[in-house]
Amino acid sequence: MNVFVKMESNVRSYCRSFPKVFNRAKGSKLFDEDGNAYIDFFAGAGALNYGHNNEYIKKALLSYIESDGISHGLDMYTVAKKEFMTTFNKLILEPRNLDYKLQFCGPTGTNAVEAALKLARKVKKRTNVLAFMGAFHGMTLGSLSVTSGLDIRRGAGVPLGNVSFLPYPSQEFEGIDTLAFMRQVLTDDHSGVDKPAAVILETTQAEGGINVAPTEWLQEVSKICKENDILLIVDDVQVGCGRTGEFFSFERAGIEPDMVVLSKSISGYGLPMSLLLLKPELDIWEPGEHNGTFRGNQMAFVAAKAALIYREESKLEESVKEKEKFIKNYIEQNILPLDPNLYARGIGLIWGIDCSKLGGGDFAKEVCQECFSKNMIIERAGRGDSVVKLMPALTIKFDELKEGCKIVRESIEKCLIRRKREGDEKSSNCA
Ligand SMILES: Cc1ncc(COP(=O)(O)O)c(C=O)c1O
């Protein structure tokens, strides 16, 4: 471990929560260098919806590499790209009656967010953008500007402007009519907010603490955007690609965003791929105006095509819905009764146990550490990192899902008992 501490920048983070050296992984299990197995409830922060080293995708990749297929192609025409695009159109866009052009950005989610913001401003000739409190869209200057976390915004080192934040329908704004607020901001000639080019949102805020926007809220926002000539950008980087049940997270609302950002699990194998879907009439880019050496990773195209076929053939969507039922019931029946101050939120296979009323981030951290001591990888999200985030691969086997949920329950129970004991000791010391 010394080599990491000695040589790797202090900026490293997840390895601090899971201080082991990992070596192999399969499905929903990771193995450290000593061969110990860990159940994965983190799924590469959403990049591994199809599990680690998915056999079907792996075969497609291996045969492509074996045949000396193009491994790097900038944005040239390649067979790998052609096959991905035709498969994406056939399996995803056409059946949903969606008409989008594809822009390959590179290589991670933040770059497609940058492209979406640039394009929205270019199309509408306005600088302001509306984003939501609790949002996370990435770490480069543009995407960070529409991200609400103050600590990470400070890291920019320069003022992050041309964005106005609105309240999201999360528990922090319970009792506030966030839609009325949005309408007011857009119509009040004393709102102090410049008319935006776009609204950018996650239909479920993931890093923001698993805040699921109600379906009607999404429909209303889409309507408000249309009425006010504002583009709607849905950032589906984390909750897209089947995470919430359907392929796109906005399908449940029946809306059609002007732009959709995809990354993380679109490649299906944890390979870097970042994709912006844009309505054809918005495609006013000059050639090369948004550029990058690693746009369109060829291996990712191959894996992504295989992932889409695997998804279809294995009826993944149906299995996510069954697993959603299980996890929801499990939380309601086995976790929430442990303490009246525990709350839960979620959709599909992304769920949060909100510990903010139980000592917040410290308690959630203890829970995740306890899970790790029981060989489980699980992370936190939300304000003060106070939400334990359950995000297994969509392909997780039912027995592993049950085992993982049981570890979370046992860990919360243990931390609650410890808390109570420490509280009792404190009060007896005071007496
Ligand atoms: C919703 C959302 N948008 C954008 C990003 C940025 O993606 P990347 O880390 O690949 O740049 C993330 C990353 O977690 C995300 O969750």
Side-chain angles (χ1 to χ4, degrees):
M1 203 97 74
N2 277 347
V3 65
F4 302 110
V5 176
K6 202 168 154 202
M7 295 185 68
E8 193 178 354
S9 160
N10 205 41
V11 79
R12 65 193 191 281
S13 65
Y14 291 126
C15 49
R16 298 176 194 270
S17 307
F18 315 115
K20 288 282 174 181
V21 180
F22 294 96
N23 192 24
R24 286 190 317 110
K26 192 73 187 164
S28 286
K29 292 265 167 75
L30 281 146
F31 300 88
D32 68 20
E33 59 183 350
D34 300 319
N36 301 307
Y38 298 77
I39 187 157
D40 187 0
F41 259 40
F42 184 40
L48 293 164
N49 281 5
Y50 305 93
H52 294 269
N53 293 309
N54 180 293
E55 210 50 35
Y56 185 89
I57 307 174
K58 186 169 86 178
K59 280 202 181 108
L61 267 174
L62 286 176
S63 98
Y64 185 77
I65 293 170
E66 195 61 46
S67 71
D68 284 335
I70 302 278
S71 67
H72 180 265
L74 290 155
D75 70 352
M76 288 193 277
Y77 299 144
T78 64
V79 169
K81 179 154 74 174
K82 179 172 75 180
E83 291 189 352
F84 166 70
M85 291 174 81
T86 46
T87 308
F88 189 75
N89 195 38
K90 182 168 157 232
L91 298 183
I92 302 297
L93 296 181
E94 269 180 10
R96 293 166 178 77
N97 259 325
L98 290 171
D99 187 15
Y100 287 116
K101 287 186 90 174
L102 276 61
Q103 178 180 352
F104 297 105
C105 306
T108 67
T110 193
N111 194 252
V113 173
E114 297 289 343
L117 296 173
K118 262 193 205 176
L119 186 60
R121 288 179 169 127
K122 185 175 159 82
V123 168
K124 292 294 173 195
K125 298 189 177 60
R126 299 176 208 137
T127 57
N128 200 28
V129 167
L130 295 185
F132 289 93
M133 298 176 193
F136 183 84
H137 296 290
M139 288 293 221
T140 46
L141 285 187
S143 62
L144 194 53
S145 74
V146 288
T147 292
S148 61
L150 294 177
D151 282 352
I152 51 174
R153 286 174 69 84
R154 269 191 283 275
V158 293
L160 297 171
N162 298 305
V163 58
S164 309
F165 285 94
L166 300 180
Y168 191 82
S170 55
Q171 65 164 20
E172 287 74 23
F173 302 106
E174 233 171 72
I176 292 178
D177 186 341
T178 53
L179 290 168
F181 190 93
M182 185 175 181
R183 280 190 193 281
Q184 185 74 17
V185 160
L186 292 170
T187 52
D188 184 351
D189 64 355
H190 271 60
S191 70
V193 175
D194 290 330
K195 181 163 178 162
V199 167
I200 182 165
L201 60 84
E202 300 152 271
T203 64
T204 290
Q205 291 183 334
E207 298 306 309
I210 328 300
N211 304 312
V212 185
T215 299
E216 311 76 52
W217 187 88
L218 294 169
Q219 290 163 344
E220 271 309 295
V221 169
S222 168
K223 204 165 139 215
I224 294 172
C225 285
K226 282 202 177 76
E227 285 167 5
N228 290 278
D229 182 35
I230 295 163
L231 298 175
L232 176 61
I233 304 167
V234 167
D235 179 345
D236 243 359
V237 167
Q238 188 156 163
V239 297
C241 301
R243 175 59 59 190
T244 60
E246 285 119 352
F247 184 82
F248 292 112
S249 72
F250 53 83
E251 285 181 57
R252 68 183 159 102
I255 58 171
E256 234 180 86
D258 298 290
M259 289 189 247
V260 183
V261 187
L262 291 172
S263 186
K264 292 202 192 266
S265 274
I266 182 68
S267 81
Y269 208 72
L271 294 171
M273 182 161 172
S274 181
L275 174 58
L276 178 64
L277 307 180
L278 49 128
K279 288 271 163 211
E281 63 274 18
L282 301 179
D283 194 17
I284 60 163
W285 288 116
E286 294 297 331
E289 200 178 354
H290 189 78
N291 219 322
T293 307
F294 290 106
R295 273 171 303 158
N297 180 300
Q298 304 296 312
M299 309 290 174
F301 286 142
V302 173
K305 175 194 160 192
L308 293 177
I309 296 170
Y310 170 82
R311 181 179 179 280
E312 192 82 3
E313 288 182 356
S314 63
K315 299 199 170 29
L316 194 57
E317 207 165 291
E318 284 170 30
S319 110
V320 171
K321 285 184 180 147
E322 269 175 48
K323 286 170 192 165
E324 175 188 35
K325 257 188 233 152
F326 171 82
I327 202 166
K328 183 172 185 288
N329 280 341
Y330 190 94
I331 291 171
E332 282 170 3
Q333 287 169 20
N334 299 287
I335 295 184
L336 295 186
L338 294 173
D339 194 286
N341 290 309
L342 286 169
Y343 297 89
R345 302 182 287 273
I347 183 168
L349 278 181
I350 178 164
W351 284 81
I353 314 285
D354 189 333
C355 306
S356 54
K357 302 267 175 0
L358 271 172
D362 288 347
F363 187 81
K365 186 174 179 184
E366 276 173 41
V367 170
C368 291
Q369 281 172 345
E370 189 58 42
C371 288
F372 187 59
S373 77
K374 298 182 195 312
N375 287 23
M376 164 180 254
I377 308 282
I378 189 164
E379 253 298 343
R380 295 178 293 152
R383 285 157 169 92
D385 273 342
S386 57
V387 178
V388 176
K389 181 181 177 196
L390 287 71
M391 192 165 67
L394 309 184
T395 52
I396 191 168
K397 295 184 194 129
F398 250 103
D399 58 340
E400 291 169 332
L401 184 63
K402 283 180 199 161
E403 186 193 335
C405 287
K406 189 162 162 261
I407 293 175
V408 175
R409 188 188 69 75
E410 286 170 358
S411 300
I412 293 178
E413 191 170 34
K414 190 163 173 191
C415 292
L416 284 167
I417 292 169
R418 195 186 300 144
R419 277 278 157 122
K420 188 170 177 314
R421 197 181 53 227
E422 283 167 6
D424 288 351
E425 277 169 14
K426 238 188 223 162
S427 48
S428 71
N429 285 345
C430 291

